[in-house]
């Protein structure tokens, strides 16, 4: 079985040109859909598919909205009030653009990551995913102005769509992850609406918060927290494999969000690793409760997973943003762990692609 080596983005003119083209677009389009463009092009470069970036952007750009402009300046006094106010997304873009120009970007990240973390569900987790992918691209080329601007855009989207799920996110019980998921309530969610809207009744269920908190806490050491993140991503890759056919778009984010954050732990202050784990567990558990709990499941796959080259080729053939991001996330984890479930999940990008 071949395994295409995902590369560092390094000094990649292809990535930077694509980010430049996308920089004049807004973070959402068509009434609340997230702009996946910057995330997909970064994933394609890491998959070694630079030659496909321009064509993919050509096809994606026409549907996007223009970048919003600022209407008023965000000050230290009204930061909290402006969180979650999407009407001020242009103001947040201006604010973070100014911040990353005036302050070293790692300092901006260290300051704002813990502030935004309770709202990790923002934009159906796309705020944190876009920020994390911008961080790893910028870490490969720390003085790159285009990537610095993309980090500002990711943070701005996260801040503008900031939303907290009800219930304490901190794990503090004795249950394994499998036991905690088995105890999640069955909740009726709206048939239509954005993902965050569908998660509202999940977060409001008292049994949900209890089950989230019942998860056994990891030891607060780098090795233990790395292992905890790997268990989190592996568990939800398996959830996607067995339940993804029923609601692929909802469940794909329970794989791509924790994987994106896991990929940048070394670029975050160690003091936020535990809180990051708990926040990702919280939102992934909500996605599970909404889209998998009590739903029909597929049989667990047997045998080796699909060749990574085939999964990447299929994702590219579909052109679907979720399929491409899922392939990159799963193959990243497969290379690190050799767990076959990631190959099985990557092969099911077709679910998200319809």
């Amino acid at each position: 079985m071949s395994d295409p080596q995902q590369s560092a983005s390094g000094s990649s003119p292809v990535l930077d040109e694509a980010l430049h083209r996308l920089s004049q677009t807004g973070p959402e389009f068509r009434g609340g859909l997230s702009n996946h463009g910057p995330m997909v092009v970064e994933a394609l470069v890491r998959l070694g598919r630079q030659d496909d970036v321009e064509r993919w952007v050509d096809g994606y750009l026409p549907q996007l909205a223009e970048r919003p402009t600022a209407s008023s300046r965000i000050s230290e006094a009204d930061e909290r009030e402006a969180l979650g106010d999407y009407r001020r997304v242009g103001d947040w873009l201006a604010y973070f653009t100014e911040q990353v120009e005036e302050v070293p970007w790692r300092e901006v990240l260290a300051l704002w990551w813990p502030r935004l973390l309770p709202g990790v569900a923002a934009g159906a987790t796309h705020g944190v995913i876009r920020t994390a992918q911008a961080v790893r691209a910028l870490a490969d080329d720390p003085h790159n102005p285009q990537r610095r601007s993309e980090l500002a855009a990711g943070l701005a989207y996260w801040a503008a769509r900031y939303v907290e799920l009800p219930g304490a996110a901190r794990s503090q019980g004795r249950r394994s992850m499998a036991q905690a998921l088995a105890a999640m309530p069955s909740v009726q969610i709206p048939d239509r609406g954005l993902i965050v809207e569908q998660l509202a009744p999940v977060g409001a269920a008292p049994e949900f918060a209890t089950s989230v908190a019942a998860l056994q806490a990891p030891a607060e050491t780098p090795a233990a927290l790395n292992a905890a993140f790997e268990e989190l991503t592996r568990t939800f890759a398996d959830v996607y494999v067995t339940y993804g056919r029923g609601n692929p778009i909802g469940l794909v984010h329970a794989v791509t969000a924790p994987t994106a954050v896991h990929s940048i732990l070394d670029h975050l202050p160690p003091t936020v690793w535990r809180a990051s784990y708990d926040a990702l567990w919280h939102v992934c558990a909500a996605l599970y409760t909404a889209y998998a709990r009590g739903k029909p499941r597929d049989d667990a796959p047997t045998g080796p997973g699909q060749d990574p080259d085939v999964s990447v080729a299929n994702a590219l053939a579909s052109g679907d943003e979720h399929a491409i991001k899922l392939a990159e996330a799963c193959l990243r984890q497969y290379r690190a762990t050799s767990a076959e479930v990631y190959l099985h999940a990557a092969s099911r990008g077709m679910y998200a692609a319809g």
Side-chain angles (χ1 to χ4, degrees):
M1 178 181 293
S2 65
D3 182 7
Q5 288 296 309
Q6 291 166 299
S7 61
S9 58
S11 179
S12 171
V14 171
L15 174 59
D16 297 330
E17 172 60 24
L19 290 177
H20 174 71
R21 294 179 67 192
L22 291 160
S23 66
Q24 297 308 306
T25 63
E28 289 185 349
F29 64 105
R30 292 184 185 170
L33 298 180
S34 295
N35 176 355
H36 289 70
M39 296 175 276
V40 169
V41 298
E42 194 265 355
L44 286 172
V45 169
R46 291 198 179 274
L47 288 167
R49 304 304 294 254
Q50 292 91 335
D51 292 347
D52 295 288
V53 168
E54 183 177 6
R55 175 183 56 81
W56 189 88
V57 173
D58 286 345
Y60 194 67
L61 264 177
Q63 63 187 314
L64 301 178
E66 293 183 0
R67 179 185 175 99
T69 58
S71 58
S72 62
R73 184 180 178 83
I74 290 178
S75 66
E76 188 174 337
D78 69 352
E79 285 173 358
R80 169 54 63 175
E81 182 181 347
L83 278 179
D85 186 351
Y86 193 72
R87 295 170 301 179
R88 301 199 65 184
V89 64
D91 301 339
W92 280 115
L93 281 163
Y95 175 84
F96 280 112
T97 298
E98 183 178 281
Q99 288 293 301
V100 298
E101 291 301 324
E102 295 181 353
V103 181
W105 66 267
R106 291 183 184 276
E107 293 183 22
V108 177
L109 183 68
L111 176 65
W112 277 94
W113 186 272
R115 292 183 181 181
L116 295 174
L117 196 55
V120 75
T125 73
H126 289 113
V128 70
I129 295 172
R130 185 167 177 178
T131 298
Q133 290 192 233
V135 166
R136 66 193 193 194
L138 191 49
D140 287 341
D141 191 355
H143 304 293
N144 186 304
Q146 192 62 62
R147 301 183 194 191
R148 197 163 57 238
S149 295
E150 173 55 20
L151 175 60
L155 290 168
Y157 185 38
W158 193 352
R161 277 299 186 198
Y162 180 96
V163 60
E164 296 184 16
L165 294 175
R170 190 170 179 83
S171 55
Q172 53 191 354
R174 296 185 177 181
R175 289 177 177 166
S176 68
M177 193 167 289
Q179 291 169 334
L181 289 176
M184 293 294 166
S186 294
V187 177
Q188 186 69 34
I189 64 169
D191 292 334
R192 298 179 181 276
L194 299 173
I195 288 175
V196 171
E197 296 168 345
Q198 292 180 313
L199 293 185
V202 173
E207 304 92 336
F208 172 71
T210 301
S211 297
V212 168
L215 179 67
Q216 184 173 11
E220 296 196 34
T221 66
L225 286 165
N226 261 307
F229 259 100
E230 201 288 308
E231 181 190 20
L232 184 67
T233 61
R234 187 176 67 251
T235 295
F236 284 95
D238 183 67
V239 167
Y240 183 80
V241 168
T242 51
Y243 292 99
R245 193 188 303 271
N247 198 307
I249 302 302
L251 289 174
V252 77
H253 301 100
V255 182
T256 53
T259 302
V261 175
H262 191 198
S263 74
I264 65 161
L265 282 184
D266 287 342
H267 303 296
L268 297 173
T271 52
V272 303
W273 286 21
R274 166 65 191 281
S276 299
Y277 169 77
D278 282 336
L280 268 297
W281 156 244
H282 193 193
V283 74
C284 288
L287 292 165
Y288 172 86
T289 302
Y291 303 120
R293 180 67 170 148
K295 306 296 193 298
R297 56 172 292 158
D298 289 339
D299 293 335
T302 59
Q306 181 168 274
D307 187 313
D309 287 328
V310 175
S311 293
V312 173
N314 288 343
L316 278 165
S318 75
D320 183 81
E321 55 267 41
H322 294 98
I324 293 169
K325 288 171 57 190
L326 180 69
E328 191 279 327
C330 289
L331 297 183
R332 168 188 296 279
Q333 293 301 97
Y334 174 72
R335 289 197 336 274
T337 67
S338 299
E340 292 283 326
V341 67
Y342 294 115
L343 296 185
H344 291 299
S347 73
R348 285 159 174 75
M350 61 185 180
Y351 293 168

